Every structure is written in C-alpha cells, then in structure tokens.
Amino acid sequence: MAKVLPFKAVRPTRDKVSLVASRSYQSYTQAEREARLDYNPYSFLHIVNPGYKYDKEISGKERYQLVKNRYSEFKEDGVFVKDELPSFYIYRIVDRDHQVFNGIIAAASVEDYKNDVIKKHEDTIESREIVFKDYLKTVGFNAEPVLLTYPDNDKITSIITEIQKQRSEFEFTTTYRDTHYLWEINNINDVKIISDAFENMDTLYIADGHHRSASSALLCNELKTENKSHNGEETYNYFMSFLIPESELKLHEFYRVVKDLNGLSKEEFLIQLDTIYRIENRGIMPYKPSKAHHFSMYLDGEFYSLYLRKNNYEFNTSLDDLDAQLLYDTILSPILGINDLRNDTRIDYLSGKKDIVNLKSLVDSNAFKVGFGMVPATIQQMKAIADEGLTMPPKSTYIEPKLRSGVTIYEF
C-alpha cells in the first residue's frame, strides 16, 4: 500500500512562473546560464547559483547557506507564496514533438521507500547521497520532484481529465517550445479518491531521481533522531514526487562512445566481436537498430550492425535481457576493458533522444574511437529488474518527462 499525500507547495505567482522555472543547473551550457543570470532576475538559477551575486564560485556548506538566503529573499519579495491548503497538483507537459505527459505532484513516503513499496532499479553512490542530504538539511526545501511511475488507474485518470477542463493555475511555454500546465486539487472528495487509489497500489517505481530519494531517506533518519517529539507526520517523512502513469512514461536509450580500442587494431577488434556477433558493414549511411539485442556501431568512418549470436550468451535474469547490460557483458568489459562504468574516463554517454549523427560527429572528431547505439529499454524491463532487486548499469535510460525546477517547492 503506497502512502501518497497532498502538501502545501511554495509556488511562484502566476505572473512570474515562466520567468522562475528553470531546467536543472547542469543541463545549461555556461553561456546559457550566464545569459539567464544576467537578464532574468527571477530565474530559479539565482537561488541554486548564489555566488553569481558576488561574481564568485562558491561551494560546500557556504553555498548551501547562500542558497537558503536567496530562497528566503524570493519569498520576502513575494515571488514565491506558500499555498494555504494541502493540495495535489496536476502537472501537464506538451513537448515540441506533441508528446503529452500528465501526472500528479504529491508527497511520497520515505517509509515506503525504505520498505520497498517504492522500488528502485539503479544503484546510488553513497558520497552523493550524503552531499545532497546535507544540502537539503541546510536549505530546508526541495524544488525538483522524484519521478515515480504507477500502473494506469481509471479513477486517477478520470479526476485528472475532469480537472483539466478547468482553467489551469499555470500555463507557460519554454524556449524549448514545451508547454507546461498546473492545476491544484484540494477538494476533499477528489483528494480522498486519489489517496485511496494510491493506497490500493502494492508498488510504485522510481523512474528518475534515485539519489534524491536516497538523500531524503537519510535526511529523515537524521531529523528523526534529532527530534525528541517525532511522530511520523513531519514533512521530512515525505519527499516531493511527480507520479505519472506507466503508459505516459517515455524511455530513450543512451549511446555509448569509447575513446580507444584497448590496444587492439581495428581488425583485431572486429575479429573478437565476430565470436559474439554477426557483423554487417552498413557503410557511411547512419544506421540504428530496430530490435532488442541488436546494436549499431560506428567505427573508422563506417556504420556496422551487430546481431547477437545467442548461443554464446545466457539469459538467466531480467538484467541479462537488458541491452545496456548485454553490451557491457559482451563488449565493453571483456574486449574494451571498461569495468567501472561510473568512473572510467574512457567511456562517455550521449542521450538517444539526439540523432545518431551526433554519435558519428563525436567519433569523427577523434575525441572517441568507437560508438554504440541500441534500442530503448522498456517499462516492463525496468519494473522486472526492480522486482528482482537488481540494478541497471548507469545511463541505461534517458527518461521523460523532465519537469522544471522552482514550479512547486516542498519545504521540510
């Protein structure tokens, strides 16, 4: 049974939300960040990059305190206002490709995360968990929800559809040509129907935000220990989430690019590949695979298709069936000598949402020697891996939707 609750969000005023909302800090180039910081005084980037005010790079605990200061200033200036009633928030995104995403922003339970009601499919790095936990404890808020997915539910869908007939509280379009909408739900009957619907679900799955979830659990443990009157209902017992039905979740692949052939010549590399794959030279025309367990490869100015010789590979778990794992088991580790996918600097990743030509350009620039493409993982694979308590390799999926930071804020 999943516990999902409404909460009192801190939100920008209607007239400023389009100016406040930002992508994640890391997704901007330096030039993009500087332009927004120079010309938009309301951008949420001013909060997460507080050193800009002093023309200085600031990190660590000093930065955390300044983030808190900038956030307080936005509230004092009336840019952010806290809602008076606990609410669920329907969030809708229509992207430039006319894909539509509908979900509910709500508070998900840390206990559910600890008890595996909320299941994960990725490993987290402890040091990153601790850093973000310390950040959250100092600033006292979270502005970027964890993306959770749930089985399609008629009752929830019906309420979302009905509420969306009303005028939205927010409607704004970004420079990426994505249009965002937000509606409040604080009607007692609707809130109960949504809460009960989630309570009847055995499992929710983390689609994106494993470190944020883990850090929220660490923070809860710490604050619980410090609070002698802890009762389990404090806001730190929950974390902000965007819950989206499985049918509307979009999974893209990640391309892999590798800097060298691990001391092998091109011919030696292809001969070793031939043991595991049937190889076809596709020439200079870009090639993308269309089936699981097939890969594209770009090497020395030409594309190749790689078809797995299945008699040489055993599928014992759901993880074995995942192409990102298959590529690691058959090529990246045994042939190219890349054993640590998180830390080896010889490998890099490129979102499959971009064209395969981007992979070609990286290799042609001589920054990398070889590149690999694959078909996206499926939601069924992601769930099966989580159900078996296994974890995907890093950068196995690029998941949409991506929400903007600063539209709804959860305070501890």
Side-chain angles (χ1 to χ4, degrees), residues 52-311:
Y52 174 81
K53 183 175 182 179
Y54 304 105
D55 194 25
K56 180 183 178 183
E57 285 290 331
I58 300 173
S59 60
K61 292 183 179 179
E62 184 182 19
R63 172 178 169 266
Y64 304 165
Q65 185 59 50
L66 288 177
V67 168
K68 183 177 181 179
N69 295 348
R70 292 293 88 71
Y71 175 64
S72 296
E73 289 168 7
F74 270 52
K75 292 178 70 176
E76 291 163 3
D77 292 341
V79 178
F80 285 137
V81 178
K82 189 168 186 175
D83 286 332
E84 295 183 1
L85 296 174
S87 302
F88 289 122
Y89 301 90
I90 295 175
Y91 203 100
R92 176 182 177 90
I93 302 173
V94 182
D95 73 12
R96 63 190 299 171
D97 299 319
H98 307 294
Q99 292 183 115
V100 179
F101 305 97
N102 296 286
I104 295 176
I105 296 176
S109 166
V110 169
E111 280 301 309
D112 284 350
Y113 173 81
K114 294 178 182 177
N115 297 330
D116 217 26
V117 173
I118 296 175
K119 291 190 175 182
K120 44 196 170 292
H121 64 264
E122 284 185 9
D123 278 332
T124 53
I125 300 171
E126 186 178 5
S127 60
R128 286 183 60 192
E129 293 176 21
I130 293 171
V131 166
F132 193 57
K133 180 266 296 179
D134 291 342
Y135 169 83
L136 292 175
K137 187 176 182 181
T138 300
V139 303
F141 70 86
N142 194 351
E144 190 174 353
V146 172
L147 183 62
L148 300 179
T149 189
Y150 63 89
D152 287 49
N153 181 281
D154 290 341
K155 290 181 178 179
I156 296 176
T157 299
S158 176
I159 289 179
I160 289 176
T161 301
E162 194 61 32
I163 294 292
Q164 288 181 340
K165 292 177 182 178
Q166 305 169 18
R167 183 195 178 194
S168 59
E169 178 69 15
F170 291 159
E171 178 181 350
F172 63 95
T173 300
T174 72
T175 53
Y176 270 38
R177 290 186 285 173
D178 300 335
T179 303
H180 298 244
Y181 305 83
L182 181 139
W183 294 260
E184 290 179 83
I185 304 178
N186 46 42
N187 173 281
I188 294 175
N189 291 332
D190 289 341
V191 166
K192 186 176 189 316
I193 290 170
I194 292 171
S195 298
D196 289 349
F198 283 117
E199 193 170 352
N200 288 325
M201 296 179 190
D202 294 329
T203 308
L204 303 174
Y205 294 86
I206 299 175
D208 191 22
H210 286 79
H211 281 92
R212 276 168 276 153
S213 306
S215 299
S216 295
L218 285 178
L219 178 65
C220 177
N221 290 341
E222 191 167 304
L223 294 178
K224 177 180 177 180
T225 302
E226 295 173 359
N227 183 6
K228 293 181 180 179
S229 58
H230 171 85
N231 61 25
E233 295 305 315
E234 297 87 354
T235 53
Y236 59 72
N237 292 283
Y238 302 88
F239 56 93
M240 185 169 64
S241 299
F242 180 48
L243 298 109
I244 185 170
E246 292 173 6
S247 63
E248 295 196 26
L249 197 67
K250 180 69 174 176
L251 278 66
H252 299 276
E253 71 277 26
F254 270 98
Y255 304 134
R256 272 79 168 131
V257 284
V258 181
K259 291 183 178 179
D260 59 66
L261 298 181
N262 197 28
L264 300 172
S265 68
K266 173 184 172 181
E267 292 72 22
E268 290 169 335
F269 175 61
L270 290 173
I271 288 170
Q272 289 203 31
L273 276 185
D274 194 76
T275 303
I276 310 159
Y277 293 91
R278 181 163 60 87
I279 305 169
E280 292 186 15
N281 188 317
R282 299 280 180 161
I284 63 172
M285 293 301 294
Y287 168 77
K288 289 190 70 171
S290 58
K291 299 173 63 173
H293 310 150
H294 293 181
F295 300 93
S296 61
M297 180 175 73
Y298 185 68
L299 173 67
D300 197 23
E302 295 179 307
F303 283 92
Y304 296 81
S305 56
L306 308 179
Y307 300 95
L308 179 69
R309 301 184 191 275
K310 294 187 179 179
N311 59 318

